[in-house]
Amino acid sequence: METPLHWYALSAVVLFLKMFGISLYQGYCRIGRQQFKNPEDAAFVHRAPATEELPQVQRAARAWLNDVENIPIFLALGIAYVQLGLSAAAAPWLFGLFTLARIAHTLCYLAGLQPWRTVAYSVGIGSTLWMSAMILGAVL
Amino acid sequence: METPLHWYALSAVVLFLKMFGISLYQGYCRIGRQQFKNPEDAAFVHRAPATEELPQVQRAARAWLNDVENIPIFLALGIAYVQLGLSAAAAPWLFGLFTLARIAHTLCYLAGLQPWRTVAYSVGIGSTLWMSAMILGAVL
Amino acid sequence: METPLHWYALSAVVLFLKMFGISLYQGYCRIGRQQFKNPEDAAFVHRAPATEELPQVQRAARAWLNDVENIPIFLALGIAYVQLGLSAAAAPWLFGLFTLARIAHTLCYLAGLQPWRTVAYSVGIGSTLWMSAMILGAVL
């Protein structure tokens, strides 16, 4: 963990595992209640398709949608940060803070905890804005 | 702004800020009307949860979904373009055109302007196809 | 196709074309049936807006959402794999298997084929987990 590339790589792995965790959680809910929206999925367990996903599956989907709105663009900025050779001292803070904030965001979303979900979201956005400012300072 | 990496980095920052703008716009609509779908969000302002998001929040969500379908894959191709050492002369056009097209797409979507939204979408896809062709030419 | 970067670049291009294919399929369905949810799109062909998207457009949207949940994070890990200089021998397998699995996933989703869609999804996740393990081995 000596270089920004290592921090980038570690946070990409952790964020992937976190999102995969949501997928497992959704599968666990769907299988536990035998409730599937896709007809071919319901047919596989000899059930009628559900008209709606379970509430906790919908909630997990909203948490995941927030992930796909925030994580790929952060990682796209992160690789620019690495390639531009920006501060190695700031890298653990930027990548670490973002990653922890997104884990907290998912947990707060699944548990319905406010204002903590918004706090976690804001820390993630703050890390991304900070990284953006450093990148702009380097390229402009 | 001498190298393709600089153009990649600048467009990643601008596209992040553009998407963050949609987030602020959604928050502004939700807070202005005090209308929240998540029960924990509504409870925070002592309201009953809304059954549906506001129409302008839903519209902004569709614009953002189109972003997450198009922007991360463009940036993934963009870093391949940078790493493969492809044309520095074409980089400002490819990255600049895509970024401006996505800004125009969001504005047209929020304002409900057709056929301009489709024109902006097509310019973005055109840039991505052009970049894809250059990458294929280099790797195959 | 000698280096991991070449495999990364080729799989990014193919995955972009695959997602763009879903977009064309959706447009083809909407235009064929003249059914549009956005009022400005419906007005453009002198129609009333539809209350819901067509079933096959919704199905394609679910396939695409699964793409945006899985493809950008894989490519973010992929560029880390390239930058860390990991195994050139494993690269064709990791990038090739993931890309083929995602193509199969989309085809199975559009055709409603189970358990094949879940098999394809699992192969994609397996490639991503394998790549994650190799990255962790290199950075920790």
Side-chain angles (χ1 to χ4, degrees):
Chain A
M1 301 300 304
E2 314 100 61
T3 67
L5 173 59
H6 286 194
W7 285 100
Y8 167 85
L10 181 63
S11 74
V13 169
V14 173
L15 291 166
F16 160 63
L17 293 175
K18 192 208 72 54
M19 290 194 280
F20 182 47
I22 300 183
S23 180
L24 293 178
Y25 175 82
Q26 286 186 324
Y28 172 82
C29 293
R30 285 187 186 121
I31 293 166
R33 297 293 196 88
Q34 301 273 70
Q35 195 169 320
F36 300 92
K37 200 178 170 189
N38 282 322
E40 67 271 24
D41 301 2
F44 202 71
V45 293
H46 309 289
R47 293 265 176 157
T51 51
E52 284 224 313
E53 293 279 10
L54 291 162
Q56 59 270 47
V57 172
Q58 289 186 35
R59 176 172 285 275
R62 287 199 297 275
W64 203 347
L65 184 59
N66 196 275
D67 278 347
V68 300
E69 288 170 349
N70 287 281
I71 291 174
I73 190 70
F74 174 81
L75 292 173
L77 290 165
I79 198 71
Y81 185 93
V82 168
Q83 292 286 313
L84 288 164
L86 298 182
S87 165
W93 292 97
L94 288 163
F95 288 103
L97 214 56
F98 182 85
T99 304
L100 294 176
R102 294 308 306 180
I103 292 170
H105 180 270
T106 298
L107 295 176
C108 291
Y109 215 138
L110 294 182
L113 292 181
Q114 278 289 41
W116 307 111
R117 192 191 83 220
T118 299
V119 170
Y121 176 77
S122 304
V123 172
I125 286 288
S127 308
T128 318
L129 283 169
W130 180 16
M131 187 176 270
S132 298
M134 291 183 73
I135 291 172
L136 283 184
V139 302
L140 291 183
Chain B
M1 302 300 305
E2 313 99 61
T3 66
L5 174 59
H6 286 194
W7 284 101
Y8 168 85
L10 181 64
S11 75
V13 169
V14 173
L15 290 167
F16 160 63
L17 294 175
K18 190 207 72 55
M19 289 194 279
F20 181 48
I22 300 182
S23 180
L24 294 177
Y25 175 81
Q26 287 186 323
Y28 173 83
C29 293
R30 284 186 186 122
I31 292 167
R33 295 293 195 90
Q34 301 273 71
Q35 196 169 318
F36 301 91
K37 200 177 170 189
N38 282 322
E40 67 272 24
D41 301 3
F44 202 70
V45 293
H46 309 290
R47 294 264 176 158
T51 50
E52 283 223 314
E53 293 279 9
L54 292 162
Q56 59 268 50
V57 171
Q58 290 185 35
R59 178 172 283 275
R62 286 199 297 273
W64 203 345
L65 184 60
N66 196 276
D67 277 347
V68 301
E69 289 169 349
N70 288 280
I71 292 175
I73 190 69
F74 174 80
L75 292 173
L77 291 165
I79 198 72
Y81 185 93
V82 169
Q83 293 287 314
L84 288 165
L86 298 182
S87 165
W93 292 98
L94 287 164
F95 289 103
L97 214 58
F98 182 84
T99 305
L100 293 176
R102 294 308 306 180
I103 293 170
H105 180 270
T106 298
L107 295 176
C108 291
Y109 215 138
L110 294 182
L113 292 181
Q114 277 288 41
W116 306 112
R117 191 190 84 221
T118 298
V119 170
Y121 175 77
S122 304
V123 171
I125 287 288
S127 308
T128 317
L129 284 169
W130 180 16
M131 187 176 270
S132 297
M134 291 181 72
I135 291 172
L136 283 185
V139 302
L140 291 183
Chain C
M1 302 302 305
E2 313 100 62
T3 68
L5 173 59
H6 286 194
W7 285 100
Y8 168 85
L10 181 64
S11 75
V13 169
V14 173
L15 291 167
F16 160 64
L17 293 175
K18 192 208 70 56
M19 291 194 277
F20 182 48
I22 300 183
S23 180
L24 293 178
Y25 175 81
Q26 286 186 324
Y28 172 82
C29 293
R30 285 187 186 120
I31 292 167
R33 295 293 195 88
Q34 300 274 70
Q35 195 170 320
F36 300 92
K37 200 177 171 191
N38 282 321
E40 67 271 25
D41 301 3
F44 202 70
V45 292
H46 309 289
R47 292 266 176 155
T51 51
E52 284 224 313
E53 294 278 9
L54 291 163
Q56 59 268 51
V57 171
Q58 290 185 35
R59 178 172 281 277
R62 286 199 297 275
W64 203 345
L65 184 59
N66 196 276
D67 278 347
V68 301
E69 289 170 349
N70 288 282
I71 292 174
I73 190 69
F74 174 81
L75 292 173
L77 290 166
I79 198 72
Y81 185 93
V82 169
Q83 292 287 313
L84 289 165
L86 299 182
S87 164
W93 292 98
L94 287 164
F95 289 104
L97 214 57
F98 182 85
T99 304
L100 293 176
R102 294 307 306 179
I103 293 170
H105 180 269
T106 298
L107 295 176
C108 291
Y109 216 138
L110 294 183
L113 292 181
Q114 277 289 42
W116 307 111
R117 191 190 84 222
T118 298
V119 170
Y121 175 78
S122 304
V123 172
I125 287 289
S127 308
T128 317
L129 284 169
W130 179 18
M131 186 177 271
S132 297
M134 292 182 71
I135 291 173
L136 283 184
V139 303
L140 291 184

